Amino acid sequence: MKLDIILRVIAKLMIPFALMFALYVQFHGDFGPGGGFQAGVIIAAAVIFYALIYGLPSARKVVPYAAVEVCVALGVLLYLAVGVAGIMLGGNFLDYFVLAHDGVHGQHRGILLVEGGVAITVAAVMLKIFYMFAGRQRDADDEEVI
Amino acid sequence: MGAAAIGIARQRNLFGVVLLSGIYSFLMATLLVVLDAVDVAMTEAAVGAGISTVLLFGALYLIGGEEAKPVHKPWLPLFVVVVTGGMLVYGTLGLPAFSDPQAPIHQHVAPRYLTEGPEKTGVPNVVTVVLASYRSFDTLGETTVVFTAGIGVIALLRRRRVRDRLPKEGDDA
């Protein structure tokens, strides 16, 4: 796989666009189809694609294990933090209207943050599962190939 | 899609099964685009055809590519599947016609979401409004489910790896 120049060049061309598309889906979720879950999945797919072409060690350099593990919890915590922020600012749990002076702006802000939390958790969990599987694979042929 | 499903059921080579299920997912994604559910189609293409195919190939590497011969006769499972499928089809007979405006689901809260949602929240995409604003508790629950699933997989695979390593260090008996 390391010498497959066509795959490597195509991957290099495609992955930035995939990541950009994920960000588009994330931030454009208010206006078009998409949202946090889809964006997270696309981010994870892009990184998994990178890992398939360039190998697990280089993917781990880009997105280290520790960062993924932190992000698994970070997304849920961000979501909860938005909810608690609603209480602190004098509303109900997950009440977005109090997040900004204008209610509509508050809604925008709350939805964006909450979807961001969803995206972070989904991307991290997908990546983590992939890393776990791929890591086992690598352990299994440790003696034979590497 | 039917051909892909039958192929999956008949195929003994698991490599082929994974490939066919990827094809099935892509066909499903196209179907969802036709039904105007683009975000679901996006998810289906990315998760169903992309990530789960990769994960299944990873699993295949670990377990080998050939399905074992079934121990039991296939008649009892076939009977259960046919009865369940028949009950599900019987259930769909009681549903209102496709896109019937008088269906109960279009009478309850849906009109309020559709008319008030964009005005109240200033977000034109009603799906996002319902998901993140009206039903944000739901979505919090879903995120927690994803989180829990991830933690579960981590716990299972990690433990296994440690156990695998232990006999190696003690030089196998």
Side-chain angles (χ1 to χ4, degrees), chain B residues 11-19 57 60 63-68:
Chain B
Q11 185 77 254
R12 278 270 162 263
N13 186 356
L14 291 176
F15 192 80
V17 170
V18 174
L19 274 184
F57 277 134
L60 271 192
I63 63 168
E66 205 62 35
E67 188 178 347

Side-chain angles (χ1 to χ4, degrees), chain A residues 29-32 37-38 41 69 72-73 76 79 93 96 104 107-108 118 125 128 130 132 136-137 139 141 143, chain B residues 39 43 46-47 54 61 121-125 128 132-133 136-137 139-140 143 147 150 154 157-158 160-161 165:
Chain A
D30 297 4
F31 304 99
F37 192 93
Q38 284 82 1
V41 168
E69 255 168 42
V72 168
V76 181
Y79 204 130
F93 186 67
Y96 304 146
V104 170
Q107 283 284 334
H108 269 290
V118 174
V125 167
K128 186 70 202 172
F130 170 73
M132 301 303 285
R136 279 177 66 88
Q137 204 164 335
D139 277 357
D141 58 16
E143 295 98 357
Chain B
D39 38 358
T43 317
V47 179
V54 170
Y61 182 89
T121 61
V123 174
N125 183 359
T128 306
S133 191
S136 46
F137 277 66
T139 312
L140 176 61
T143 315
F147 171 75
I154 291 171
L157 289 184
R158 267 237 179 100
R160 189 65 187 279
R161 195 192 282 170
R165 235 174 231 168

Side-chain angles (χ1 to χ4, degrees), chain A residues 118-134:
Chain A
V118 174
I120 291 173
T121 290
V122 167
V125 167
M126 295 278 175
L127 262 183
K128 186 70 202 172
I129 295 175
F130 170 73
Y131 273 169
M132 301 303 285
F133 268 90

Side-chain angles (χ1 to χ4, degrees), chain B residues 61-140:
Chain B
Y61 182 89
L62 299 172
I63 63 168
E66 205 62 35
E67 188 178 347
K69 280 259 172 266
V71 191
H72 306 287
K73 287 268 184 283
W75 298 118
L76 179 66
L78 186 68
F79 175 73
V80 172
V81 166
V82 167
V83 168
T84 315
M87 267 161 36
L88 287 175
V89 170
Y90 176 72
T92 59
L93 294 180
L95 290 178
F98 185 63
S99 74
D100 176 12
Q102 297 305 318
I105 193 166
H106 298 309
Q107 304 293 327
H108 186 44
V109 287
R112 220 183 88 213
Y113 287 167
L114 287 175
T115 50
E116 283 181 14
E119 280 167 38
K120 259 194 179 169
T121 61
V123 174
N125 183 359
V126 186
V127 177
T128 306
V129 172
V130 173
L131 266 183
S133 191
Y134 281 108
R135 303 239 167 127
S136 46
F137 277 66
D138 250 21
T139 312
L140 176 61

Side-chain angles (χ1 to χ4, degrees), chain A residues 42-111:
Chain A
I42 294 171
I43 290 174
V47 179
I48 289 176
F49 185 37
Y50 182 84
L52 284 181
I53 304 290
Y54 290 90
L56 195 60
S58 38
R60 280 177 60 180
K61 249 179 239 159
V62 181
V63 190
Y65 276 0
V68 172
E69 255 168 42
V70 168
C71 282
V72 168
L74 189 67
V76 181
L77 288 177
L78 176 60
Y79 204 130
L80 285 172
V82 174
V84 174
I87 297 180
M88 302 285 247
L89 293 170
N92 293 322
F93 186 67
L94 286 173
D95 188 357
Y96 304 146
F97 283 113
V98 291
L99 289 180
H101 291 298
D102 184 15
V104 170
H105 283 175
Q107 283 284 334
H108 269 290
R109 201 173 284 179
I111 289 177

